[in-house]
Every structure is written in C-alpha cells, then in structure tokens.
Amino acid sequence: MTDGETGRMFRLAYVPGVTPAKWVNVWTERMPGVPVTLVAVPAAEVVGLLRNGGADAGFVRLPVDRDGLSVIPLYVETTVAMVPKDHVVAAADEVAIADLVDDEVFHPLDDTIEWTVRPGLPAFTRPATTADAVELVAAGTGILLVPLSLARLHHRRNLTYRPVSDAPQSQVALTWPTDATTDLVEDFIGIVRGRTVNSSRGRTPASPAEKPAQRQAQKPAQNGSGRRAVPASRKKAVPASRKKKGYRPR
C-alpha cells in the first residue's frame, strides 16, 4: 500500500448467495489501511451499480452485459430444485429435468440461470425476485430451480432441495469497469487469483527489490569452461618450485 492510498476505501459489491468473506479477510490482513465496504445488491442491478461508480468491483452471476467490463470467471454452482419436504422430489438423491415435467416451476424475473427451454409447466405468476418465489414454494404452489447457494440462503424449515443433474449451471465471476482498473482493483484481483503478497504480478513491495542490473553486476563472471572465474586478487600464489612437477634447473 502506498501513502496515497491511506484513508481510501475499497467498495466491493456482491449478489445474493455469494460469500466474499474469505477474500475480504485476506484483504484486511494485507491492506489494513484500506477498509472494505461491502455492498449487497440484487443480481439484476449489480452491473448498473458498477458502471455508475457505486462500487470498485463486484461478484456477479454470469451471464451479464460485458460492455465496458472486465470479467474473471471464478466457479460454477450446482443447480438444485427447491421443493416442499413432502414433495416426491424429496425422496430422491437427485433428479433430472424430465422428472419435473408435471410440476409448475417458478421463473422469477431475477433468475440468473440461462435456460434454453424452461423446465416443467409455467407457474401461475412470475415472481419479481427469487425470495418471492421461495415464499410461493413454501406455500405449496410450485417448485423453483436455483443455484445451490441461493437455496441455502433462502432456507425454510418446510423446504428442502435436490440437485438437478442435467440443468444449466450458474457461474460466479469477479467484474469491474475496465477503464477504472485502479491499483486497489489490481490488488483485489491478485487476492482472488490466490497470488501471494510477493507475487511478480502483484504490487511493488514497500522495500524495493534489488534491480536486475545490480544483481547481474554482483554475479561473478564465468570463464569459457562455464566455471566461475576467480578474481586475480583472490588467487593464491603458487611457489615456483610447485608449478611444474619434476622441474629441474639446467
């Protein structure tokens, strides 16, 4: 961290279901003078927030409109079916989309799973949010397919979930405005990528490293045989009587 960063903060947006704690903890250790402000934002609004300068970077669910954004895909989540505990799906370890053809499946407006063909039967309404859809599932009026982390986030005592083996999956990514790739954003990218504090791709350390030219100058020269040449000042004098074995004066 440079003196110019003292007093600044890093604003990190994240969508529901994403837990940024492990990366924030590393940041806090490495950048104690730059606090992190976490901004929870609905999945449908995170790109607008980044473009308007409301956050420096954010965790999003793909796909998103990438215009003007840099994106680093991170991990893929299993898709699960959320159902009441007395639903037939609850008796299986996992299900396929074909097993849901007779079920009404809610498709909330903030759904982040990219469906080619929506599973099951159309539900009687399209809820505005995933949270609203979960409430309808809890009322026994249909089922819902969501990324695993959202099923855990919206846990209800009377609901359970099972993996859907052939469903499209949701991918989480780190994104930020390309033209606002600041030093702090680079620092956070390094943390997310798992780079160490001394990584060559990271920021310049507080104590500047020795320049390559200086290191090269300090290396002993090598002779033609590939062995290091010994400076003349360090060579030991060899008595004349020992220079050539068997030498006799004429």
Side-chain angles (χ1 to χ4, degrees), residues 106-108 127-139 141-144 146:
F106 291 109
H107 185 226
T129 67
T130 297
D132 293 337
V134 172
E135 294 299 333
L136 292 172
V137 175
T141 55
I143 68 173
L144 175 65
V146 291

Side-chain angles (χ1 to χ4, degrees), residues 214-240:
Q214 293 174 333
R215 292 197 299 269
Q216 186 66 28
Q218 292 176 5
K219 288 183 178 180
Q222 295 184 341
N223 57 28
S225 65
R227 297 180 179 176
R228 292 184 179 179
V230 180
S233 60
R234 293 172 56 189
K235 290 183 178 179
K236 293 184 179 180
V238 180

